[in-house]
mmCIF file of all heavy atoms in Angstrom:
data_model
loop_
_atom_site.group_PDB
_atom_site.id
_atom_site.type_symbol
_atom_site.label_atom_id
_atom_site.label_comp_id
_atom_site.label_asym_id
_atom_site.label_seq_id
_atom_site.Cartn_x
_atom_site.Cartn_y
_atom_site.Cartn_z
ATOM 1 N N PHE J 340 11.231 -2.335 -0.919
ATOM 2 C CA PHE J 340 10.632 -1.656 -2.064
ATOM 3 C C PHE J 340 9.231 -1.142 -1.724
ATOM 4 O O PHE J 340 8.561 -1.665 -0.834
ATOM 5 C CB PHE J 340 10.504 -2.625 -3.245
ATOM 6 C CG PHE J 340 11.797 -3.249 -3.681
ATOM 7 C CD1 PHE J 340 12.154 -4.520 -3.231
ATOM 8 C CD2 PHE J 340 12.661 -2.592 -4.545
ATOM 9 C CE1 PHE J 340 13.343 -5.120 -3.634
ATOM 10 C CE2 PHE J 340 13.846 -3.186 -4.956
ATOM 11 C CZ PHE J 340 14.186 -4.457 -4.496
ATOM 12 N N ARG J 341 8.790 -0.143 -2.480
ATOM 13 C CA ARG J 341 7.419 0.375 -2.384
ATOM 14 C C ARG J 341 6.833 0.479 -3.784
ATOM 15 O O ARG J 341 7.484 0.989 -4.697
ATOM 16 C CB ARG J 341 7.411 1.759 -1.731
ATOM 17 C CG ARG J 341 6.015 2.320 -1.480
ATOM 18 C CD ARG J 341 6.054 3.750 -0.945
ATOM 19 N NE ARG J 341 6.502 4.695 -1.956
ATOM 20 C CZ ARG J 341 7.505 5.566 -1.796
ATOM 21 N NH1 ARG J 341 8.193 5.617 -0.656
ATOM 22 N NH2 ARG J 341 7.844 6.388 -2.777
ATOM 23 N N VAL J 342 5.607 -0.030 -3.948
ATOM 24 C CA VAL J 342 4.869 0.144 -5.195
ATOM 25 C C VAL J 342 3.793 1.191 -4.939
ATOM 26 O O VAL J 342 2.885 0.976 -4.119
ATOM 27 C CB VAL J 342 4.223 -1.162 -5.679
ATOM 28 C CG1 VAL J 342 3.461 -0.911 -6.984
ATOM 29 C CG2 VAL J 342 5.285 -2.241 -5.881
ATOM 30 N N ASP J 343 3.897 2.323 -5.614
ATOM 31 C CA ASP J 343 2.933 3.403 -5.432
ATOM 32 C C ASP J 343 1.652 3.129 -6.220
ATOM 33 O O ASP J 343 1.562 2.171 -7.005
ATOM 34 C CB ASP J 343 3.555 4.735 -5.836
ATOM 35 C CG ASP J 343 4.557 5.237 -4.806
ATOM 36 O OD1 ASP J 343 4.161 5.382 -3.640
ATOM 37 O OD2 ASP J 343 5.735 5.453 -5.162
ATOM 38 N N LEU J 344 0.651 3.985 -6.023
ATOM 39 C CA LEU J 344 -0.659 3.740 -6.608
ATOM 40 C C LEU J 344 -0.657 3.841 -8.125
ATOM 41 O O LEU J 344 -1.549 3.292 -8.782
ATOM 42 C CB LEU J 344 -1.682 4.702 -5.997
ATOM 43 C CG LEU J 344 -1.841 4.600 -4.472
ATOM 44 C CD1 LEU J 344 -2.948 5.521 -3.994
ATOM 45 C CD2 LEU J 344 -2.112 3.168 -4.038
ATOM 46 N N ASP J 345 0.329 4.526 -8.698
ATOM 47 C CA ASP J 345 0.427 4.601 -10.156
ATOM 48 C C ASP J 345 1.211 3.429 -10.739
ATOM 49 O O ASP J 345 1.464 3.387 -11.948
ATOM 50 C CB ASP J 345 1.043 5.933 -10.582
ATOM 51 C CG ASP J 345 2.474 6.124 -10.088
ATOM 52 O OD1 ASP J 345 2.999 5.228 -9.386
ATOM 53 O OD2 ASP J 345 3.072 7.186 -10.385
ATOM 54 N N GLY J 346 1.613 2.480 -9.891
ATOM 55 C CA GLY J 346 2.372 1.318 -10.352
ATOM 56 C C GLY J 346 3.876 1.518 -10.390
ATOM 57 O O GLY J 346 4.608 0.572 -10.692
ATOM 58 N N SER J 347 4.341 2.722 -10.069
ATOM 59 C CA SER J 347 5.781 2.960 -10.061
ATOM 60 C C SER J 347 6.410 2.337 -8.820
ATOM 61 O O SER J 347 5.762 2.174 -7.781
ATOM 62 C CB SER J 347 6.076 4.464 -10.097
ATOM 63 O OG SER J 347 5.553 5.111 -8.949
ATOM 64 N N ILE J 348 7.688 1.987 -8.936
ATOM 65 C CA ILE J 348 8.395 1.286 -7.870
ATOM 66 C C ILE J 348 9.554 2.136 -7.370
ATOM 67 O O ILE J 348 10.328 2.681 -8.153
ATOM 68 C CB ILE J 348 8.905 -0.073 -8.364
ATOM 69 C CG1 ILE J 348 7.724 -0.965 -8.763
ATOM 70 C CG2 ILE J 348 9.755 -0.765 -7.292
ATOM 71 C CD1 ILE J 348 8.146 -2.263 -9.406
ATOM 72 N N SER J 349 9.670 2.220 -6.044
ATOM 73 C CA SER J 349 10.786 2.925 -5.416
ATOM 74 C C SER J 349 11.549 1.959 -4.527
ATOM 75 O O SER J 349 10.955 1.099 -3.873
ATOM 76 C CB SER J 349 10.283 4.090 -4.557
ATOM 77 O OG SER J 349 9.590 5.038 -5.331
ATOM 78 N N THR J 350 12.874 2.102 -4.517
ATOM 79 C CA THR J 350 13.696 1.372 -3.567
ATOM 80 C C THR J 350 13.865 2.255 -2.343
ATOM 81 O O THR J 350 14.511 3.295 -2.399
ATOM 82 C CB THR J 350 15.062 1.018 -4.169
ATOM 83 O OG1 THR J 350 14.870 0.240 -5.353
ATOM 84 C CG2 THR J 350 15.892 0.219 -3.178
ATOM 85 N N VAL J 351 13.262 1.849 -1.233
ATOM 86 C CA VAL J 351 13.238 2.678 -0.025
ATOM 87 C C VAL J 351 14.504 2.489 0.789
ATOM 88 O O VAL J 351 15.058 3.452 1.317
ATOM 89 C CB VAL J 351 11.996 2.338 0.817
ATOM 90 C CG1 VAL J 351 11.958 3.166 2.097
ATOM 91 C CG2 VAL J 351 10.731 2.557 0.005
ATOM 92 N N LEU J 352 14.946 1.236 0.918
ATOM 93 C CA LEU J 352 16.156 0.934 1.676
ATOM 94 C C LEU J 352 17.000 -0.066 0.901
ATOM 95 O O LEU J 352 16.466 -0.966 0.244
ATOM 96 C CB LEU J 352 15.814 0.303 3.033
ATOM 97 C CG LEU J 352 15.159 1.146 4.119
ATOM 98 C CD1 LEU J 352 14.816 0.248 5.305
ATOM 99 C CD2 LEU J 352 16.072 2.283 4.557
ATOM 100 N N THR J 353 18.304 0.091 0.977
ATOM 101 C CA THR J 353 19.235 -0.935 0.514
ATOM 102 C C THR J 353 20.040 -1.407 1.719
ATOM 103 O O THR J 353 19.906 -0.881 2.815
ATOM 104 C CB THR J 353 20.169 -0.390 -0.579
ATOM 105 O OG1 THR J 353 20.872 0.747 -0.061
ATOM 106 C CG2 THR J 353 19.376 0.023 -1.809
ATOM 107 N N GLY J 354 20.866 -2.400 1.518
ATOM 108 C CA GLY J 354 21.654 -2.909 2.627
ATOM 109 C C GLY J 354 20.823 -3.640 3.655
ATOM 110 O O GLY J 354 21.181 -3.692 4.838
ATOM 111 N N VAL J 355 19.692 -4.228 3.209
ATOM 112 C CA VAL J 355 18.812 -4.959 4.111
ATOM 113 C C VAL J 355 19.278 -6.412 4.198
ATOM 114 O O VAL J 355 19.648 -7.019 3.193
ATOM 115 C CB VAL J 355 17.351 -4.888 3.602
ATOM 116 C CG1 VAL J 355 16.436 -5.779 4.430
ATOM 117 C CG2 VAL J 355 16.862 -3.449 3.619
ATOM 118 N N GLY J 356 19.229 -6.974 5.415
ATOM 119 C CA GLY J 356 19.621 -8.368 5.584
ATOM 120 C C GLY J 356 18.513 -9.310 5.145
ATOM 121 O O GLY J 356 18.585 -9.929 4.090
ATOM 122 N N VAL J 357 17.455 -9.417 5.953
ATOM 123 C CA VAL J 357 16.261 -10.194 5.623
ATOM 124 C C VAL J 357 15.058 -9.297 5.898
ATOM 125 O O VAL J 357 14.681 -9.076 7.044
ATOM 126 C CB VAL J 357 16.164 -11.490 6.454
ATOM 127 C CG1 VAL J 357 14.875 -12.230 6.129
ATOM 128 C CG2 VAL J 357 17.367 -12.388 6.197
ATOM 129 N N SER J 358 14.473 -8.754 4.838
ATOM 130 C CA SER J 358 13.356 -7.822 4.983
ATOM 131 C C SER J 358 12.151 -8.565 5.555
ATOM 132 O O SER J 358 11.741 -9.598 5.041
ATOM 133 C CB SER J 358 13.002 -7.211 3.626
ATOM 134 O OG SER J 358 11.989 -6.246 3.768
ATOM 135 N N ASN J 359 11.551 -8.008 6.634
ATOM 136 C CA ASN J 359 10.476 -8.723 7.286
ATOM 137 C C ASN J 359 9.356 -7.781 7.725
ATOM 138 O O ASN J 359 8.906 -6.955 6.950
ATOM 139 C CB ASN J 359 11.016 -9.571 8.440
ATOM 140 C CG ASN J 359 10.894 -11.054 8.141
ATOM 141 O OD1 ASN J 359 9.839 -11.524 7.710
ATOM 142 N ND2 ASN J 359 11.960 -11.794 8.334
ATOM 143 N N GLY J 360 8.874 -7.900 8.971
ATOM 144 C CA GLY J 360 7.626 -7.284 9.410
ATOM 145 C C GLY J 360 7.512 -5.796 9.148
ATOM 146 O O GLY J 360 8.473 -5.033 9.282
ATOM 147 N N LEU J 361 6.289 -5.378 8.783
ATOM 148 C CA LEU J 361 5.959 -3.981 8.516
ATOM 149 C C LEU J 361 4.642 -3.639 9.201
ATOM 150 O O LEU J 361 3.768 -4.492 9.334
ATOM 151 C CB LEU J 361 5.808 -3.744 7.011
ATOM 152 C CG LEU J 361 7.075 -3.801 6.166
ATOM 153 C CD1 LEU J 361 6.739 -4.220 4.742
ATOM 154 C CD2 LEU J 361 7.757 -2.436 6.168
ATOM 155 N N GLY J 362 4.497 -2.381 9.601
ATOM 156 C CA GLY J 362 3.229 -1.948 10.184
ATOM 157 C C GLY J 362 3.198 -0.446 10.362
ATOM 158 O O GLY J 362 4.246 0.222 10.373
ATOM 159 N N TRP J 363 1.962 0.097 10.509
ATOM 160 C CA TRP J 363 1.749 1.537 10.624
ATOM 161 C C TRP J 363 0.789 1.842 11.774
ATOM 162 O O TRP J 363 -0.126 1.054 12.063
ATOM 163 C CB TRP J 363 1.163 2.100 9.317
ATOM 164 C CG TRP J 363 2.121 2.064 8.182
ATOM 165 C CD1 TRP J 363 2.914 3.085 7.746
ATOM 166 C CD2 TRP J 363 2.426 0.944 7.335
ATOM 167 N NE1 TRP J 363 3.690 2.673 6.692
ATOM 168 C CE2 TRP J 363 3.407 1.361 6.400
ATOM 169 C CE3 TRP J 363 1.954 -0.367 7.261
ATOM 170 C CZ2 TRP J 363 3.923 0.516 5.428
ATOM 171 C CZ3 TRP J 363 2.478 -1.218 6.305
ATOM 172 C CH2 TRP J 363 3.448 -0.775 5.394
ATOM 173 N N THR J 364 0.979 2.996 12.398
ATOM 174 C CA THR J 364 0.073 3.419 13.460
ATOM 175 C C THR J 364 -1.210 3.994 12.853
ATOM 176 O O THR J 364 -1.257 4.339 11.660
ATOM 177 C CB THR J 364 0.732 4.476 14.349
ATOM 178 O OG1 THR J 364 1.240 5.543 13.517
ATOM 179 C CG2 THR J 364 1.869 3.887 15.157
ATOM 180 N N ALA J 365 -2.240 4.126 13.692
ATOM 181 C CA ALA J 365 -3.553 4.557 13.213
ATOM 182 C C ALA J 365 -3.528 5.973 12.649
ATOM 183 O O ALA J 365 -4.305 6.298 11.736
ATOM 184 C CB ALA J 365 -4.578 4.460 14.342
ATOM 185 N N ASP J 366 -2.650 6.837 13.171
ATOM 186 C CA ASP J 366 -2.591 8.201 12.651
ATOM 187 C C ASP J 366 -1.771 8.302 11.376
ATOM 188 O O ASP J 366 -1.613 9.378 10.813
ATOM 189 C CB ASP J 366 -2.056 9.167 13.711
ATOM 190 C CG ASP J 366 -0.596 8.895 14.086
ATOM 191 O OD1 ASP J 366 0.041 7.985 13.498
ATOM 192 O OD2 ASP J 366 -0.085 9.589 14.987
ATOM 193 N N ARG J 367 -1.229 7.177 10.906
ATOM 194 C CA ARG J 367 -0.473 7.074 9.657
ATOM 195 C C ARG J 367 0.838 7.845 9.681
ATOM 196 O O ARG J 367 1.412 8.117 8.626
ATOM 197 C CB ARG J 367 -1.319 7.538 8.464
ATOM 198 C CG ARG J 367 -2.673 6.860 8.363
ATOM 199 C CD ARG J 367 -3.435 7.313 7.140
ATOM 200 N NE ARG J 367 -4.724 6.609 7.030
ATOM 201 C CZ ARG J 367 -5.475 6.597 5.948
ATOM 202 N NH1 ARG J 367 -5.078 7.263 4.872
ATOM 203 N NH2 ARG J 367 -6.611 5.943 5.919
ATOM 204 N N ARG J 368 1.340 8.169 10.851
ATOM 205 C CA ARG J 368 2.542 8.993 10.959
ATOM 206 C C ARG J 368 3.780 8.204 11.369
ATOM 207 O O ARG J 368 4.879 8.774 11.414
ATOM 208 C CB ARG J 368 2.304 10.125 11.970
ATOM 209 C CG ARG J 368 1.243 11.123 11.538
ATOM 210 C CD ARG J 368 1.709 11.929 10.353
ATOM 211 N NE ARG J 368 0.697 12.876 9.885
ATOM 212 C CZ ARG J 368 0.855 13.678 8.832
ATOM 213 N NH1 ARG J 368 1.987 13.635 8.143
ATOM 214 N NH2 ARG J 368 -0.103 14.502 8.459
ATOM 215 N N THR J 369 3.609 6.919 11.672
ATOM 216 C CA THR J 369 4.729 6.116 12.144
ATOM 217 C C THR J 369 4.711 4.759 11.445
ATOM 218 O O THR J 369 3.650 4.153 11.290
ATOM 219 C CB THR J 369 4.645 5.909 13.670
ATOM 220 O OG1 THR J 369 4.629 7.177 14.320
ATOM 221 C CG2 THR J 369 5.827 5.098 14.180
ATOM 222 N N MET J 370 5.891 4.300 11.025
ATOM 223 C CA MET J 370 6.031 2.995 10.390
ATOM 224 C C MET J 370 7.050 2.170 11.171
ATOM 225 O O MET J 370 8.058 2.703 11.656
ATOM 226 C CB MET J 370 6.510 3.144 8.943
ATOM 227 C CG MET J 370 6.582 1.827 8.176
ATOM 228 S SD MET J 370 7.133 2.029 6.452
ATOM 229 C CE MET J 370 8.911 1.792 6.648
ATOM 230 N N PHE J 371 6.776 0.873 11.296
ATOM 231 C CA PHE J 371 7.703 -0.064 11.933
ATOM 232 C C PHE J 371 8.229 -1.038 10.882
ATOM 233 O O PHE J 371 7.531 -1.386 9.929
ATOM 234 C CB PHE J 371 6.991 -0.847 13.041
ATOM 235 C CG PHE J 371 6.424 0.016 14.127
ATOM 236 C CD1 PHE J 371 5.091 0.420 14.093
ATOM 237 C CD2 PHE J 371 7.211 0.429 15.195
ATOM 238 C CE1 PHE J 371 4.551 1.220 15.090
ATOM 239 C CE2 PHE J 371 6.686 1.235 16.195
ATOM 240 C CZ PHE J 371 5.355 1.626 16.145
ATOM 241 N N PHE J 372 9.450 -1.515 11.099
ATOM 242 C CA PHE J 372 10.081 -2.430 10.134
ATOM 243 C C PHE J 372 11.072 -3.328 10.861
ATOM 244 O O PHE J 372 11.897 -2.860 11.645
ATOM 245 C CB PHE J 372 10.807 -1.625 9.057
ATOM 246 C CG PHE J 372 11.646 -2.447 8.112
ATOM 247 C CD1 PHE J 372 11.073 -3.421 7.307
ATOM 248 C CD2 PHE J 372 13.018 -2.239 8.024
ATOM 249 C CE1 PHE J 372 11.853 -4.176 6.437
ATOM 250 C CE2 PHE J 372 13.799 -2.979 7.151
ATOM 251 C CZ PHE J 372 13.208 -3.950 6.357
ATOM 252 N N ASN J 373 10.979 -4.638 10.581
ATOM 253 C CA ASN J 373 11.930 -5.604 11.123
ATOM 254 C C ASN J 373 12.874 -6.087 10.034
ATOM 255 O O ASN J 373 12.426 -6.473 8.951
ATOM 256 C CB ASN J 373 11.202 -6.822 11.702
ATOM 257 C CG ASN J 373 10.642 -6.571 13.085
ATOM 258 O OD1 ASN J 373 10.992 -5.595 13.745
ATOM 259 N ND2 ASN J 373 9.758 -7.442 13.538
ATOM 260 N N ASP J 374 14.156 -6.066 10.332
ATOM 261 C CA ASP J 374 15.175 -6.667 9.471
ATOM 262 C C ASP J 374 15.784 -7.832 10.252
ATOM 263 O O ASP J 374 16.576 -7.627 11.177
ATOM 264 C CB ASP J 374 16.239 -5.642 9.111
ATOM 265 C CG ASP J 374 17.302 -6.186 8.152
ATOM 266 O OD1 ASP J 374 17.442 -7.425 8.055
ATOM 267 O OD2 ASP J 374 17.994 -5.372 7.517
ATOM 268 N N SER J 375 15.385 -9.047 9.890
ATOM 269 C CA SER J 375 15.855 -10.221 10.632
ATOM 270 C C SER J 375 17.333 -10.491 10.397
ATOM 271 O O SER J 375 17.996 -11.067 11.264
ATOM 272 C CB SER J 375 15.040 -11.453 10.231
ATOM 273 O OG SER J 375 13.663 -11.240 10.430
ATOM 274 N N GLY J 376 17.839 -10.106 9.235
ATOM 275 C CA GLY J 376 19.232 -10.393 8.917
ATOM 276 C C GLY J 376 20.210 -9.672 9.821
ATOM 277 O O GLY J 376 21.223 -10.231 10.239
ATOM 278 N N ILE J 377 19.915 -8.404 10.117
ATOM 279 C CA ILE J 377 20.793 -7.647 11.017
ATOM 280 C C ILE J 377 20.133 -7.448 12.378
ATOM 281 O O ILE J 377 20.594 -6.662 13.194
ATOM 282 C CB ILE J 377 21.215 -6.306 10.393
ATOM 283 C CG1 ILE J 377 20.004 -5.445 10.029
ATOM 284 C CG2 ILE J 377 22.067 -6.545 9.165
ATOM 285 C CD1 ILE J 377 20.390 -4.057 9.526
ATOM 286 N N GLU J 378 19.016 -8.180 12.595
ATOM 287 C CA GLU J 378 18.372 -8.299 13.906
ATOM 288 C C GLU J 378 17.969 -6.944 14.487
ATOM 289 O O GLU J 378 18.225 -6.646 15.654
ATOM 290 C CB GLU J 378 19.272 -9.071 14.866
ATOM 291 C CG GLU J 378 19.614 -10.464 14.357
ATOM 292 C CD GLU J 378 20.509 -11.247 15.291
ATOM 293 O OE1 GLU J 378 20.833 -10.740 16.382
ATOM 294 O OE2 GLU J 378 20.888 -12.368 14.931
ATOM 295 N N THR J 379 17.276 -6.133 13.674
ATOM 296 C CA THR J 379 16.843 -4.826 14.146
ATOM 297 C C THR J 379 15.333 -4.658 14.023
ATOM 298 O O THR J 379 14.723 -5.091 13.042
ATOM 299 C CB THR J 379 17.525 -3.685 13.366
ATOM 300 O OG1 THR J 379 17.300 -3.867 11.959
ATOM 301 C CG2 THR J 379 19.007 -3.630 13.657
ATOM 302 N N PHE J 380 14.742 -4.044 15.024
ATOM 303 C CA PHE J 380 13.348 -3.633 15.056
ATOM 304 C C PHE J 380 13.376 -2.106 15.064
ATOM 305 O O PHE J 380 13.847 -1.494 16.009
ATOM 306 C CB PHE J 380 12.685 -4.211 16.304
ATOM 307 C CG PHE J 380 11.336 -3.649 16.658
ATOM 308 C CD1 PHE J 380 10.396 -3.358 15.690
ATOM 309 C CD2 PHE J 380 11.000 -3.434 17.995
ATOM 310 C CE1 PHE J 380 9.155 -2.840 16.033
ATOM 311 C CE2 PHE J 380 9.758 -2.931 18.349
ATOM 312 C CZ PHE J 380 8.834 -2.638 17.367
ATOM 313 N N SER J 381 12.906 -1.481 13.958
ATOM 314 C CA SER J 381 13.098 -0.049 13.749
ATOM 315 C C SER J 381 11.777 0.692 13.625
ATOM 316 O O SER J 381 10.739 0.111 13.287
ATOM 317 C CB SER J 381 13.929 0.203 12.479
ATOM 318 O OG SER J 381 15.188 -0.402 12.562
ATOM 319 N N ILE J 382 11.833 1.987 13.857
ATOM 320 C CA ILE J 382 10.689 2.881 13.730
ATOM 321 C C ILE J 382 11.079 4.027 12.806
ATOM 322 O O ILE J 382 12.231 4.487 12.817
ATOM 323 C CB ILE J 382 10.259 3.394 15.133
ATOM 324 C CG1 ILE J 382 8.989 4.215 15.068
ATOM 325 C CG2 ILE J 382 11.378 4.167 15.799
ATOM 326 C CD1 ILE J 382 8.431 4.564 16.453
ATOM 327 N N PHE J 383 10.127 4.472 11.954
ATOM 328 C CA PHE J 383 10.350 5.567 11.019
ATOM 329 C C PHE J 383 9.256 6.623 11.198
ATOM 330 O O PHE J 383 8.118 6.290 11.552
ATOM 331 C CB PHE J 383 10.251 5.089 9.563
ATOM 332 C CG PHE J 383 11.316 4.148 9.112
ATOM 333 C CD1 PHE J 383 11.290 2.805 9.477
ATOM 334 C CD2 PHE J 383 12.346 4.579 8.284
ATOM 335 C CE1 PHE J 383 12.250 1.913 9.034
ATOM 336 C CE2 PHE J 383 13.310 3.694 7.831
ATOM 337 C CZ PHE J 383 13.270 2.362 8.215
ATOM 338 N N ASP J 384 9.572 7.852 10.888
ATOM 339 C CA ASP J 384 8.534 8.853 10.642
ATOM 340 C C ASP J 384 7.961 8.568 9.260
ATOM 341 O O ASP J 384 8.712 8.275 8.315
ATOM 342 C CB ASP J 384 9.118 10.267 10.683
ATOM 343 C CG ASP J 384 9.656 10.627 12.059
ATOM 344 O OD1 ASP J 384 9.161 10.078 13.063
ATOM 345 O OD2 ASP J 384 10.593 11.445 12.125
ATOM 346 N N PHE J 385 6.622 8.668 9.139
ATOM 347 C CA PHE J 385 5.976 8.295 7.888
ATOM 348 C C PHE J 385 5.083 9.427 7.399
ATOM 349 O O PHE J 385 4.330 10.019 8.173
ATOM 350 C CB PHE J 385 5.133 7.031 8.100
ATOM 351 C CG PHE J 385 4.523 6.486 6.838
ATOM 352 C CD1 PHE J 385 5.301 5.834 5.900
ATOM 353 C CD2 PHE J 385 3.166 6.639 6.580
ATOM 354 C CE1 PHE J 385 4.747 5.337 4.734
ATOM 355 C CE2 PHE J 385 2.597 6.140 5.421
ATOM 356 C CZ PHE J 385 3.389 5.499 4.491
ATOM 357 N N ASP J 386 5.184 9.736 6.102
ATOM 358 C CA ASP J 386 4.330 10.746 5.483
ATOM 359 C C ASP J 386 3.215 10.028 4.733
ATOM 360 O O ASP J 386 3.477 9.390 3.701
ATOM 361 C CB ASP J 386 5.153 11.601 4.516
ATOM 362 C CG ASP J 386 4.362 12.767 3.931
ATOM 363 O OD1 ASP J 386 3.128 12.615 3.754
ATOM 364 O OD2 ASP J 386 4.964 13.807 3.646
#
């Protein structure tokens, strides 16, 4: 899930096993996400 600055909530991903680590690069263009349930370390393009 994501909570935006106006307090609204978005469901970004479904089908997640165990939602875990998150992080962003300094240029704010890349996001990382770990799903422990399905054992994946993923990278996203980020706006």
Side-chain angles (χ1 to χ4, degrees):
F340 303 97
R341 185 185 70 233
V342 180
D343 286 304
L344 301 184
D345 63 359
S347 62
I348 297 173
S349 299
T350 302
V351 179
L352 290 175
T353 57
V355 173
V357 177
S358 184
N359 248 312
L361 290 153
W363 292 263
T364 52
D366 66 3
R367 307 182 178 194
R368 295 292 178 182
T369 302
M370 184 179 92
F371 300 95
F372 172 61
N373 280 346
D374 183 340
S375 304
I377 57 175
E378 302 180 3
T379 55
F380 167 40
S381 300
I382 186 172
F383 293 77
D384 296 333
F385 185 74
D386 186 328

